[in-house]
Amino acid sequence: MADPAGIGPSKLRELFLLIWAAMATVAALMFAALALFLFVRVRELTISQNRPRTYAPSKLEPSPAPAANGVFANLRESDVPGRYRFIEGGEDLGIMTLKPDHTFINKDGTTFKRYRWDVTSEGLVLLWQRATSRFNIIEKPGVYVAQNPNGKDQRLEKVE
């Protein structure tokens, strides 16, 4: 019996094979895009979890717990520049350098235009790229502490 549409069985197989190949190609492309998206997302999460964080206000505003008796009012700016051991949450993260021009070099040896430090009556303030650290306790000359609400206090200890 002849096919009314005029398509023979071999033509139907070719048509079926062509449609199947097109659908398989689309499915493979979608799978590859999903795999790439998940790879990039996992990489971003891993990088953000390994990045050290500074939990402090991002603006220079009065500290909620100012230094007792205005201790920082007596601190001369010329006493601050130097090399400091940077400690966060009890972990020694490396050496930082506070320069006389009120810029600083971070623990990785990098400096950015945004990196600045200043002495206010309420503490030693470090402006990072995206955060601010306010060291409002002087344990002893050359040792400054910033208490953070997350429990990871930061310390700067001058290296002689």
Side-chain angles (χ1 to χ4, degrees):
M1 177 173 216
D3 188 9
I7 301 175
S10 64
K11 291 282 187 192
L12 281 176
R13 272 191 227 130
E14 287 178 19
L15 184 60
F16 175 75
L17 185 61
L18 183 63
I19 292 171
W20 178 85
M23 289 179 18
T25 301
V26 169
L29 289 173
M30 289 175 59
F31 178 76
L34 178 65
L36 179 64
F37 171 77
L38 292 175
F39 172 77
V40 169
R41 184 70 178 135
V42 167
R43 184 171 174 214
E44 287 174 356
L45 288 173
T46 302
I47 290 170
S48 68
Q49 287 174 350
N50 292 335
R51 184 179 301 143
R53 293 181 175 91
T54 302
Y55 299 95
S58 60
K59 296 179 181 176
L60 288 175
E61 54 193 36
S63 172
N69 301 327
V71 175
F72 282 88
N74 300 327
L75 181 65
R76 293 181 307 183
E77 289 194 7
S78 61
D79 293 338
V80 176
R83 297 180 67 221
Y84 289 85
R85 185 165 305 285
F86 182 59
I87 301 166
E88 183 175 33
E91 181 182 351
D92 187 347
L93 298 177
I95 301 290
M96 293 178 53
T97 304
L98 276 63
K99 297 167 54 175
D101 65 355
H102 287 255
T103 62
F104 66 90
I105 302 170
N106 71 14
K107 60 188 174 42
D108 300 324
T110 310
T111 188
F112 294 99
K113 287 182 180 181
R114 176 90 169 110
Y115 283 2
R116 307 284 302 162
W117 67 267
D118 198 12
V119 176
T120 69
S121 61
E122 298 165 345
L124 172 63
V125 179
L126 297 182
L127 291 171
W128 301 85
Q129 285 286 87
R130 294 179 193 93
T132 302
S133 296
R134 185 180 309 278
F135 295 86
N136 57 358
I137 298 172
I138 299 178
E139 280 192 358
K140 59 183 180 182
V143 178
Y144 309 105
V145 178
Q147 294 179 322
N148 287 322
N150 67 356
K152 286 190 171 184
D153 292 349
Q154 295 176 334
R155 295 174 60 87
L156 286 177
E157 297 179 357
K158 197 161 194 173
V159 178
E160 298 300 326

